[in-house]
Amino acid sequence: MASFPLSVNEKLIARSRTVGELLAPTSPFDKKCGRENWTVAFAPDGSYFAWSQGHRIVKLVPWSQCLNNFLLHGTKNVANSISTRLPRQNSDSGQKNKPCEHIIDCGDIVWSLAFGSSVPEKQSRCVNIEWHRFKFGQDQLLLATGLNNGRIKIWDVYTGKLLLNLMDHTEVVRDLTFAPDGSLILVSASRDKTLRVWDLKDDGNMMKVLRGHQNWVYGCAFSPDSSILCSVGASKAVFLWDMDKYSMIRKLEGHHNDVVACEFSPDGALLATASYDTRVCVWDPHIGVILTEFGHLFPPPTPIFAGGANDRWVRSVSFSHDGLHIASLADDKMVRFWRIDEEYPVQVAPLNNGLCCTFSTDGSVLAAGQDGSVYFWATPRQVSSLQHLCRMAIRRVMPTSQVKNLPIPSKVVEFLCYQI
């Protein structure tokens, strides 16, 4: 990866340490055409990592063995050569306790990936478990792939077998997200201007179509308690949905161009959105206000010119599991790590043509996709203060309106609401 220029404010910022690379193989007829890697994902339990190689192929690798591979063989790795060092599993053996690599041919260009588990990420809601045709077990781990032709294919991660083929979208499935509560409810965002809600425990039955976007829908994300869905899209769109009533809660106004990615903080108190207007906005989704802006162009463009700064478009954003750090990826060939309470990045890393990024399950590594390959960096790590841990614990169960009614000093309320 080539060197990259730093702004005056960023010359003293630390470079992130490279952990490893998974380089997609190139073939004579392949060149670079169409090799965009739009999606990377970690399994909720940290057992697997998956990425699109830019075409029909998705690679699934056991994450712990992938890390060991980096340590043993250095940071660089050719993706196809991993199979010679990772154990392959007989799909009929039933040895689900021994993760293995899978190469999945999805039949069309892959735009989105999401892992879903039948085990709740945390006990937040009562889940009525009913098993149907595929007899999903308590340790079920699924991979959903959104395709160029509008289809969504659901795969068993442990065996690599195709389980479901969901067909209702009429355009590219741009993003996918599973409810974190273990219900195996899947939401898809599409260029057909809709979001669709699927129940994978009911043989992939489509439960609801969410309409409201007037243009392409680029991304969607569940809140940690699965009660709220955020969807983002073209024409500055940021929508919040009540997933119990399947109704729109509010539109968030503030971006000046297409909004392409979103993610909630681990406690659900904050929402980060990335836009082509060169900014990442951090919102209080409960009251619909912007708390912080992370700009990628200095000085920031005026709203009327926000769409013209093509070399600063923000492509992706991810919230760390410590609730303190956010990663962003922009067209200026940089990955930035931000603290939610600081104006400038705390670490940076170079990346050409990057399109997507996500933190590992434990927050120690950031993965970013580029031209069918993946690059990994060590993330900023620090011991969270007791105040912040208490804040996260309170905000997991209390929305902003309830916090503001607590009989406590105003400064404490402001801290709990991330306003200081």
Side-chain angles (χ1 to χ4, degrees):
M1 289 179 286
S3 62
F4 58 96
L6 289 172
S7 70
V8 173
N9 293 317
E10 295 170 330
K11 287 183 178 178
L12 299 178
I13 297 170
R15 296 284 187 98
S16 295
R17 177 176 59 85
T18 300
V19 174
E21 305 170 357
L22 294 174
L23 304 179
T26 57
S27 55
F29 60 85
D30 192 24
K31 307 297 181 186
K32 285 273 187 176
C33 181
R35 288 188 60 88
E36 291 91 350
N37 177 352
W38 289 99
T39 178
V40 292
F42 287 94
D45 61 358
S47 60
Y48 276 90
F49 175 74
W51 82 100
S52 158
Q53 290 198 313
H55 293 299
R56 313 160 32 145
I57 304 300
V58 169
K59 297 293 291 289
L60 262 170
V61 296
W63 176 237
S64 61
Q65 295 180 45
C66 193
L67 279 177
N68 290 337
N69 212 33
F70 292 149
L71 293 174
L72 289 173
H73 302 279
T75 61
K76 289 194 175 182
N77 238 309
V78 176
N80 275 359
S81 69
I82 287 184
S83 60
T84 63
R85 293 186 286 273
L86 295 179
R88 288 193 173 275
Q89 174 186 338
N90 182 343
S91 60
D92 297 324
S93 68
Q95 296 178 345
K96 291 188 176 181
N97 60 345
K98 190 176 182 181
C100 67
E101 175 194 342
H102 294 292
I103 300 173
I104 297 174
D105 186 343
C106 296
D108 203 350
I109 296 172
V110 179
W111 283 84
S112 50
L113 293 173
F115 282 98
S117 174
S118 55
V119 180
E121 294 182 22
K122 67 184 187 67
Q123 297 295 335
S124 59
R125 302 176 80 188
C126 178
V127 180
N128 179 23
I129 299 175
E130 296 179 4
W131 309 117
H132 292 270
R133 180 162 47 132
F134 294 106
K135 296 183 172 63
F136 292 134
Q138 271 296 331
D139 60 346
Q140 186 70 31
L141 183 60
L142 307 178
L143 180 70
T145 55
L147 307 182
N148 192 68
N149 59 10
R151 296 192 178 188
I152 303 167
K153 292 188 177 181
I154 311 297
W155 310 83
D156 184 323
V157 170
Y158 300 121
T159 65
K161 291 182 177 179
L162 178 65
L163 297 179
L164 293 168
N165 192 356
L166 311 179
M167 298 177 288
D168 261 312
H169 282 298
T170 57
E171 293 284 349
V172 170
V173 179
R174 189 61 186 81
D175 200 15
L176 295 163
T177 183
F178 276 95
D181 59 8
S183 62
L184 292 182
I185 296 298
L186 174 70
V187 175
S188 54
S190 172
R191 287 183 181 174
D192 66 13
K193 308 176 186 177
T194 69
L195 298 124
R196 295 174 191 257
V197 185
W198 314 81
D199 184 355
L200 299 194
K201 287 182 179 177
D202 188 17
D203 295 343
N205 176 52
M206 191 186 71
M207 302 165 58
K208 198 73 178 177
V209 180
L210 304 180
R211 303 183 189 275
H213 285 268
Q214 300 301 309
N215 292 285
W216 290 0
V217 190
Y218 279 104
C220 55
F222 269 103
S223 63
D225 67 357
S226 304
S227 66
I228 298 174
L229 180 83
C230 176
S231 63
V232 297
S235 301
K236 316 172 190 177
V238 183
F239 296 166
L240 295 179
W241 307 83
D242 182 325
M243 293 307 287
D244 291 320
K245 301 176 181 178
Y246 299 114
S247 61
M248 188 182 297
I249 300 171
R250 63 173 56 91
K251 300 179 183 180
L252 302 184
E253 305 283 349
H255 278 297
H256 307 311
N257 202 343
D258 294 358
V259 189
V260 295
C262 59
E263 189 164 14
F264 284 89
S265 62
D267 60 3
L270 303 174
L271 171 70
T273 56
S275 170
Y276 289 166
D277 68 9
T278 76
R279 295 179 300 158
V280 167
C281 289
V282 181
W283 310 75
D284 182 328
H286 302 283
I287 58 177
V289 300
I290 296 176
L291 299 176
T292 307
E293 295 181 14
F294 296 129
H296 295 65
L297 181 64
F298 303 95
T302 58
I304 195 170
F305 294 111
N310 294 346
D311 61 339
R312 296 294 192 278
W313 282 5
V314 188
R315 295 284 181 175
S316 185
V317 66
S318 185
F319 232 116
S320 173
H321 297 263
D322 64 8
L324 283 174
H325 293 91
I326 290 174
S328 66
L329 192 156
D331 282 351
D332 62 355
K333 305 177 182 179
M334 285 179 63
V335 177
R336 292 173 174 85
F337 296 92
W338 312 79
R339 266 187 64 105
I340 60 172
D341 54 0
E342 295 186 15
E343 183 178 0
Y344 299 111
V346 293
Q347 286 185 18
V348 295
L351 182 68
N352 291 324
N353 304 321
L355 294 172
C356 57
C357 67
T358 189
F359 281 95
S360 61
T361 306
D362 65 0
S364 64
V365 172
L366 183 82
Q370 173 235 28
D371 293 336
S373 300
V374 190
Y375 299 89
F376 302 91
W377 293 277
T379 61
R381 302 288 282 173
Q382 62 190 84
V383 177
S384 298
S385 68
L386 182 59
Q387 291 98 321
H388 176 65
L389 294 175
C390 291
R391 174 169 60 183
M392 289 185 67
I394 292 170
R395 291 313 308 269
R396 286 183 196 277
V397 296
M398 295 187 72
T400 303
S401 59
Q402 293 182 16
V403 171
K404 289 189 172 182
N405 289 329
L406 291 174
I408 54 178
S410 59
K411 284 294 183 184
V412 179
V413 171
E414 289 177 9
F415 178 78
L416 292 177
C417 293
Y418 290 90
Q419 293 174 354
I420 57 173

